[in-house]
Amino acid sequence: MKKQVVAVLAVVVGIAIMGCSAETNFGGQAGLSTESSWIWYPEDVEEAGPDDPRFMRKTFVLESAPKRAELRVLADDMHTLWVNGKPVESRKNLWGSGIVYEFRDMLRRGENVLAFKVVNGGGMGGLVFQGEVEDSRGCVVKLRSDPSVRVSRKKKDGWLEPGFKDSSWKPASIVGSAFVQPWFQNALFDVQPFLTRADWERRAVRVESLFKLPPGLAEETPVKAGIGWENGSCVLRFNGEAEPAQIYRGTVDPTTEHGRRQIALFRDAGVHTYMAELYLAHCWLAPGKYDFTLLDETVRGYLSVDPDARLILEPRLIPPSWWMEAHPNELVGYAKGNYNSIDEIRRVRRASLASEVWRQDALEMWRAMIRHLESKPWGGRVVGYQPGYGIYGEWHYFGSWVNEMPDTGPAMTKAFRQWLRERYGSSAALRKAWGRDDVSLDSATVPGIEPRLAKRPLGMYLPVEDQWVIDYYRCQQKITADALEGFCAAAKKETGGRAFTGAFYGYHLGVLQQAQGGHLELERLFKSPAIDYFAAPYEYFHRKVGDDGRGRAVVDAFPLAGKVHLVEVDTRTHLHHHNEHG
């Protein structure tokens, strides 16, 4: 769980309007600037303590009455917005792509103030916003999160109101442009709406200047890859040659100096196999329409630093917002209530694993992605595919870690009834198994909160008394495994078996709510020819410096089944100033 760090920001965006002119500031790294940037108080945000507020101010002036006013805001992790000292009630929550506010009636001629309260749950924190105000003359004021914002660690009475004096406050710190990690191409944050065409054009120029391909790449034969065991040790095999199974899985951006340096460090240490996570929703423009530019950049970026690089891709299969808006009945439902977060451990808006529409559409995109790569010179260096879905791409059901009771939506209800038909065959057999006279194959529902609460000794469920819940969990686990296996099988087929496949799966230790979101179909997936390896991080509770770093899986089971188990070593060393995992 993240620690909670509270920051309060009052952002007053100031652009003087003189004959409809406006000043625009660009924040971010050189060559990657964007009109709106992630902003924060000038500090190491990870050092900010709980209940330690931050305040920011900037004003804008309207020469005449406003005609329209809209602002899109995205915060890591939560925020509240005021305009001229009053909270904004008119809003539309678009979840990962922010909240859109309308506040025309709250503005006035003269000076106006926006104010934010932002809560950072731990790690990196930031706020990005973009909007416009148009006055009655047709003049447009652009509202951007940029370096002109003023910041203080101390507030005084009146900080939310126009006229407050902030000349002694510091300029806001730019955490990074809208292209910066850990937000850009992150499954939890969709920053696309905050990027302009000019932003993308500037980025394209930088990418082309950096991403030079190795000489002779176009003439290379695609790498034939494998993963397995040799003389009792796990090995990677490339074109028949074995090497140690050491892979750098870095959340890096190859367009930045830091990202390129990280890749170079492993290159120089003799590690040439990399795993890269990417968010396929950015590539999915419309039904059957894709743009894999960012996918190509991922592979090209590594190759431009390490000419010998080979890539394992970990694409996240989350559909874009437009898909979820179009298919409300295909989304996850939670017995605990409606959506309440963009964090996948909570009640996040996502496609249900039981949705046939999602599986068909996502498989179509998945296959198109692999076919696209196979047609490119750099595609032959992609040696593995690791599909990611569920919490953080680890195939835990959304919301299950904190007992949000997934999945009660229409798609899962339909799938559960079909599973019951296949298992019992008749309503009479179902009523006997459940010990209930009020149920049928056509009326059975997903159990809610009360039936799932384990009341038996050791948290056990009993046949008949708890068969309703037992059957649902069996159904849910099967659906999850079916989806995972299906994507791996498609990757095998599209590459002609040239690439290996795997997944974050097989966790049994340190994971809460195994039944409703765990990995209980591992024995079955051991038998699947479509999956070559399984991966897991260390258990969270034993990963600080000096701890034993126990595994999250029963690792000896994997070689016995003829499969490989990879450990994600994301433990900080003694050199880091935070003694915790991450």
Side-chain angles (χ1 to χ4, degrees):
M1 298 294 291
K2 293 180 177 179
K3 65 176 187 267
Q4 189 176 71
V5 181
V6 178
V8 181
L9 300 83
V11 181
V12 192
V13 179
I15 303 174
I17 302 300
M18 302 293 281
C20 294
S21 64
E23 175 188 356
T24 302
N25 291 293
F26 298 94
Q29 304 165 40
L32 286 176
S33 61
T34 52
E35 287 192 21
S36 292
S37 300
W38 287 92
I39 60 173
W40 198 259
Y41 183 80
E43 64 181 341
D44 178 356
V45 69
E46 293 186 274
E47 298 290 348
D51 303 316
D52 191 10
R54 304 293 180 264
F55 308 94
M56 301 187 184
R57 284 186 53 83
K58 184 71 171 138
T59 62
F60 64 94
V61 176
L62 294 178
E63 295 294 321
S64 61
K67 186 164 62 175
R68 64 179 178 88
E70 185 177 275
L71 187 75
R72 182 188 291 259
V73 183
L74 183 60
D76 186 354
D77 293 271
M78 295 175 285
H79 76 277
T80 305
L81 171 66
W82 297 266
V83 171
N84 292 334
K86 298 180 180 179
V88 184
E89 303 296 337
S90 178
R91 71 189 71 181
K92 182 177 182 181
N93 195 335
L94 300 178
W95 302 102
S97 58
I99 296 178
V100 175
Y101 297 93
E102 295 182 355
F103 50 92
R104 182 196 64 183
D105 295 338
M106 302 178 71
L107 299 176
R108 59 196 182 192
R109 183 180 177 183
E111 186 178 280
N112 292 270
V113 182
L114 301 179
F116 296 87
K117 176 181 179 180
V118 180
V119 178
N120 176 27
M124 293 293 289
L127 178 76
V128 62
F129 60 82
Q130 188 168 108
E132 290 185 348
V133 176
E134 182 181 3
D135 68 16
S136 59
R137 300 182 303 157
C139 295
V140 175
V141 178
K142 291 184 177 182
L143 306 178
R144 301 288 188 264
S145 49
D146 62 27
S148 62
V149 175
R150 306 288 296 180
V151 192
S152 174
R153 296 187 65 168
K154 302 291 183 180
K155 70 173 181 177
K156 294 182 179 180
D157 291 343
W159 69 281
L160 293 175
E161 304 293 339
F164 181 82
K165 303 301 182 183
D166 59 12
S167 58
S168 63
W169 291 23
K170 298 178 180 180
S173 174
I174 298 302
V175 180
S177 74
F179 289 118
V180 78
Q181 299 286 355
W183 299 291
F184 182 60
Q185 294 198 70
N186 186 312
L188 304 183
F189 298 91
D190 180 7
V191 300
Q192 297 277 14
F194 299 92
L195 293 165
T196 66
R197 179 178 297 178
D199 293 336
W200 283 107
E201 289 173 351
R202 284 191 294 273
R203 185 178 186 277
V205 170
R206 181 168 176 81
V207 165
E208 289 307 313
S209 69
L210 288 175
F211 290 4
K212 306 300 183 184
L213 294 175
L217 183 68
E219 289 73 42
E220 282 188 7
T221 300
V223 176
K224 172 69 174 176
I227 185 170
W229 296 92
E230 191 167 303
N231 298 325
S233 297
C234 179
V235 296
L236 301 173
R237 297 189 185 94
F238 301 116
N239 296 326
E241 297 292 324
E243 62 182 61
Q246 295 179 329
I247 302 162
Y248 176 45
R249 183 181 183 268
T251 305
V252 300
D253 180 355
T255 66
T256 66
E257 291 182 7
H258 170 75
R260 298 178 73 80
R261 183 172 62 250
Q262 288 295 105
I263 297 169
L265 286 170
F266 282 83
R267 174 201 67 198
D268 295 344
V271 175
H272 301 289
T273 306
Y274 307 88
M275 177 177 284
E277 181 184 53
L278 56 139
Y279 183 26
L280 284 184
H282 292 316
C283 304
W284 195 353
L285 307 182
K289 184 177 180 181
Y290 316 107
D291 181 351
F292 294 116
T293 300
L294 290 176
L295 173 71
D296 291 336
E297 287 182 6
T298 298
V299 184
R300 291 174 57 201
Y302 279 85
L303 287 169
S304 69
V305 180
D306 182 356
D308 297 321
R310 299 170 294 257
L311 269 291
I312 303 168
L313 296 182
E314 186 195 348
R316 298 290 299 277
L317 298 163
I318 300 166
S321 294
W322 63 260
W323 189 98
M324 290 188 278
E325 293 285 344
H327 301 286
N329 289 333
E330 305 300 324
L331 305 183
V332 179
Y334 301 91
K336 287 285 186 72
N338 295 327
Y339 309 124
N340 66 354
S341 177
I342 62 172
D343 193 330
E344 293 177 342
I345 70 171
R346 304 190 186 280
R347 298 197 297 271
V348 67
R349 186 176 71 153
R350 290 289 184 266
S352 170
L353 278 158
S355 168
E356 286 296 327
V357 177
W358 168 75
R359 289 172 68 167
Q360 291 174 10
D361 289 354
L363 269 172
E364 178 184 344
M365 175 188 60
W366 176 257
R367 293 189 180 104
M369 173 197 73
I370 299 173
R371 287 195 294 268
H372 170 86
L373 283 172
E374 290 289 300
S375 71
K376 298 294 182 181
W378 48 85
R381 293 289 191 90
V382 178
V383 297
Y385 290 92
Q386 181 174 310
Y389 203 60
I391 296 175
Y392 309 154
E394 297 173 85
W395 296 96
H396 300 290
Y397 219 106
F398 302 110
S400 61
W401 282 6
V402 293
N403 214 16
E404 298 286 7
M405 305 287 187
D407 170 3
T408 57
M412 180 60 83
T413 300
K414 178 181 177 182
F416 185 40
R417 289 173 180 171
Q418 180 59 38
W419 186 92
L420 293 172
R421 288 187 183 92
E422 294 172 1
R423 177 171 176 80
Y424 293 109
S426 69
S427 294
L430 174 65
R431 285 191 285 268
K432 181 179 179 181
W434 287 10
R436 291 175 50 184
D437 295 328
D438 61 342
V439 68
S440 71
L441 293 175
D442 294 325
S443 66
T445 60
V446 172
I449 298 173
E450 184 62 26
R452 297 197 209 184
L453 297 177
K455 306 179 183 66
R456 319 297 177 186
L458 302 178
M460 302 295 287
Y461 294 98
L462 300 179
V464 182
E465 291 95 329
D466 303 312
Q467 194 63 43
W468 180 19
V469 177
I470 292 172
D471 281 345
Y472 169 65
Y473 285 151
R474 284 176 171 168
C475 171
Q476 187 198 65
Q477 295 283 332
K478 180 181 183 298
I479 284 170
T480 301
D482 284 348
L484 167 55
E485 186 177 28
F487 285 104
C488 287
K492 287 283 190 182
K493 182 177 181 180
E494 294 296 338
T495 63
R498 182 186 65 77
F500 52 76
T501 62
F504 282 122
Y505 196 90
Y507 307 13
H508 289 305
L509 305 176
V511 177
L512 301 177
Q513 310 302 337
Q514 274 285 353
Q516 68 173 319
H519 296 165
L520 301 185
E521 289 284 334
L522 181 61
E523 185 176 5
R524 168 205 150 179
L525 293 179
F526 273 160
K527 302 173 184 177
S528 173
I531 305 175
D532 299 300
Y533 72 87
F534 299 85
Y538 291 125
E539 187 180 342
Y540 279 117
F541 305 109
H542 300 268
R543 291 205 285 178
K544 293 184 178 180
V545 175
D547 285 346
D548 56 15
R550 66 184 66 172
R552 185 165 279 173
V554 183
V555 295
D556 288 347
F558 295 83
L560 291 174
K563 301 291 185 181
V564 167
H565 173 70
L566 298 177
V567 178
E568 181 189 53
V569 186
D570 55 352
T571 303
R572 288 169 170 160
T573 72
H574 69 286
L575 299 175
H576 200 282
H577 59 284
H578 288 298
N579 183 20
E580 60 184 20
H581 63 266

